[in-house]
């Protein structure tokens, strides 16, 4: 009995102390609203109280510090209030969101993709080509003349029709793009393309069927008579499954004002090149593989009187009806590697010295 009386006395004292302490919590506002749904499932149907000064301080700090600190500070402020944790966290969330939004507002907007980027025809070809002018002043003049006087109006394309058709403009293939002709046969309008239809077809200023920008590729096309200037390659290009029944001036070439680079010509054939099949006037690494040709002055020619480096790899190449040379260069920096090379010259007599004409024997190797 004494024990029970003592417990009752303690409880009475505690009750009296709580009843006599003034409340630090303001009266509920008549404008209390439902806790935002963002506060979590526990907030549904719950009545929110206005935030205490401590809660307000926690929310402002969360907004200032950024979203990473919001929940920790809100949790600490709300913990003494028990059921109000959701309400405070829900109130702080929009502040954190506003902070993140503010950070996003100071970011620079993402630039849209610019026209003329590798692999598209959105930019005027002439504008794109002028951006590739050489640094050398004299070469730059020749290049500008080439663009304005020799090429004429260009069309831009990255796919053929798969059918036979006539073209009146050089087809420009942009950087990094692949033009797949799908087996089409192209014939140049001789007047529109300034093609030489006389015997030998060697007139200057004929227009090419294709102009390949750096990194562009061309495949599955037959370039019919008149061959005109064939294909102009600016550098790092690939020609695959190309047929030249009558090559004309050149089947393909790299001009001196082009940057050059790696050139691959494979699974192709060329015929009737009165002078040369492939001409290189700028430093290149050339690989010709699985190629057949006939009736040509030369298979490969490096521009005479030059000393830039030209590396040539002939792999599984068969040529016949050769008049002058398989490869001709007077540059001490021309190097030839060959494998499975077969050739036949016109006329009689020993033509061994014409296979790699004017090229030092030390620069030629077989593998």
């Amino acid at each position: 009995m004494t024990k029970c009386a003592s417990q009752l006395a303690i409880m009475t004292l505690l009750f009296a102390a709580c009843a006599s302490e003034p409340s630090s919590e303001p009266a509920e506002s008549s404008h209390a609203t439902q806790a935002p749904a963002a506060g979590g499932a526990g907030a549904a149907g719950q009545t929110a109280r206005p935030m205490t000064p401590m809660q307000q301080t926690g929310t402002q700090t969360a907004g200032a510090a950024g979203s990473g600190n919001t929940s920790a500070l809100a949790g600490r402020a709300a913990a003494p209030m028990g059921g109000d944790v959701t309400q405070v966290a829900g109130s702080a969330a929009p502040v954190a969101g506003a902070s993140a939004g503010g950070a996003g507002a100071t970011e620079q907007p993402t630039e849209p993709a610019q026209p003329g980027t590798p692999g598209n025809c959105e930019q005027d070809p002439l504008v794109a080509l002028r951006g590739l002018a050489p640094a050398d002043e004299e070469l730059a003049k020749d290049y500008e003349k080439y663009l304005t006087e020799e090429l004429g109006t260009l069309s831009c394309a990255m796919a053929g029709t798969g059918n036979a058709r006539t073209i009146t403009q050089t087809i420009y293939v942009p950087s990094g793009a692949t033009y797949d002709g799908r087996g089409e046969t192209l014939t140049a309008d001789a007047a529109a393309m300034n093609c030489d239809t006389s015997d030998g077809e060697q007139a200057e200023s004929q227009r090419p069927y294709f102009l390949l920008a750096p990194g562009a590729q061309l495949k599955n096309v037959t370039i019919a008579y008149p061959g005109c200037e064939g294909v102009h390659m600016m550098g790092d290009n690939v020609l695959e499954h190309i047929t030249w029944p009558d090559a004309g001036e050149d089947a393909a070439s790299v001009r001196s004002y082009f940057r050059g680079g790696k050139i691959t010509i494979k699974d192709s054939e060329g015929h009737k090149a009165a002078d040369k099949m492939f001409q290189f006037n700028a430093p290149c690494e050339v690989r010709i593989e699985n190629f057949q040709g006939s009736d040509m002055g030369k298979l490969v020619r490096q521009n005479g009187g030059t000393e830039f480096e030209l590396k040539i790899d002939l792999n599984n190449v068969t040529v016949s009806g050769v008049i002058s040379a398989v490869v001709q260069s007077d540059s001490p920096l021309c190097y030839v590697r060959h494998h499975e090379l077969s050739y036949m010259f016109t006329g009689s007599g020993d033509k061994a010295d014409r296979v790699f004409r004017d090229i030092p024997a030390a620069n030629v190797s077989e593998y």
Side-chain angles (χ1 to χ4, degrees):
M1 188 69 176
T2 304
K3 183 178 179 180
C4 290
S6 298
Q7 290 177 344
L8 181 58
I10 291 171
M11 290 176 64
T12 302
L13 289 171
L14 288 172
F15 179 81
C18 289
S20 62
E21 184 180 348
S23 175
S24 61
E25 190 171 276
E28 283 191 350
S29 168
S30 58
H31 297 5
T33 56
Q34 188 177 4
Q46 192 173 343
T47 301
R49 298 184 184 86
M51 290 186 291
T52 65
M54 179 179 179
Q55 292 169 334
Q56 291 172 350
T57 303
T59 305
Q60 291 167 357
T61 306
S67 58
N69 293 331
T70 304
S71 11
L73 289 169
R76 285 206 301 271
M81 301 300 295
D84 288 336
V85 172
T86 303
Q87 187 269 336
V88 175
S91 300
V95 178
S99 174
T106 60
E107 265 182 49
Q108 292 299 320
T110 303
E111 290 293 330
Q114 295 298 315
T117 51
N120 71 60
C121 286
E122 294 178 15
Q123 189 177 37
D124 182 338
L126 196 57
V127 174
L129 288 167
R130 283 203 167 102
L132 299 171
D136 181 87
E137 187 175 342
E138 290 303 315
L139 289 177
K141 288 180 181 178
D142 292 340
Y143 181 70
E144 180 62 22
K145 185 177 180 181
Y146 167 77
L147 295 182
T148 57
E149 298 181 17
E150 186 172 339
L151 283 180
T153 303
L154 299 170
S155 62
C156 182
M158 293 183 290
T161 63
N163 302 313
R165 62 191 178 103
T166 299
I167 63 171
T168 58
Q169 297 174 338
T170 296
I171 299 170
Y172 168 74
V173 183
S175 295
T178 297
Y179 181 101
D180 186 351
R182 306 172 188 175
E184 72 181 353
T185 297
L186 299 181
T187 303
D189 181 305
M193 301 285 283
N194 293 338
C195 299
D196 181 4
T197 56
S198 65
D199 186 31
E201 307 169 58
Q202 294 298 300
E204 297 299 324
S205 298
Q206 299 183 77
R207 292 174 180 167
Y209 276 64
F210 290 93
L211 173 57
L212 306 185
Q217 300 186 32
L218 176 66
K219 64 182 183 180
N220 302 324
V221 175
T222 294
I223 295 176
Y225 173 86
C228 307
E229 272 282 328
V231 181
H232 284 184
M233 306 173 290
M234 298 190 76
D236 297 321
N237 303 119
V238 176
L239 307 183
E240 182 178 5
H241 292 298
I242 309 299
T243 299
W244 294 268
D246 191 320
E249 169 70 8
D250 300 309
S253 60
V254 175
R255 296 288 184 94
S256 59
Y257 33 72
F258 294 163
R259 77 179 193 184
K262 293 185 178 180
I263 301 292
T264 300
I265 302 168
K266 61 183 181 179
D267 305 324
S268 299
E269 61 178 284
H271 310 277
K272 298 182 180 179
D275 188 6
K276 66 275 184 190
M277 194 70 69
F278 304 117
Q279 174 86 27
F280 297 96
N281 295 354
C284 292
E285 291 184 26
V286 181
R287 181 175 176 84
I288 302 174
E289 59 180 329
N290 302 327
F291 180 86
Q292 293 187 353
S294 66
D295 303 326
M296 66 191 72
K298 314 164 198 65
L299 174 64
V300 177
R301 176 69 164 117
Q302 178 172 359
N303 196 21
T306 60
E307 294 190 355
F308 59 80
E309 188 174 68
L310 179 65
K311 295 180 178 179
I312 302 167
D313 188 340
L314 305 176
N315 182 25
N316 191 23
V317 172
T318 300
V319 289
S320 62
V322 180
I323 298 172
S324 181
V326 175
V327 180
Q328 183 172 354
S329 171
D330 53 12
S331 168
L333 297 177
C334 180
Y335 303 90
V336 180
R337 299 173 69 245
H338 62 92
H339 175 74
E340 298 293 339
L341 171 63
S342 176
Y343 51 86
M344 183 179 294
F345 283 83
T346 59
S348 58
D350 183 10
K351 307 287 177 38
D353 62 332
R354 294 190 181 182
V355 179
F356 307 112
R357 193 166 186 172
D358 302 327
I359 300 173
N363 291 7
V364 178
S365 62
E366 183 174 4
Y367 63 95

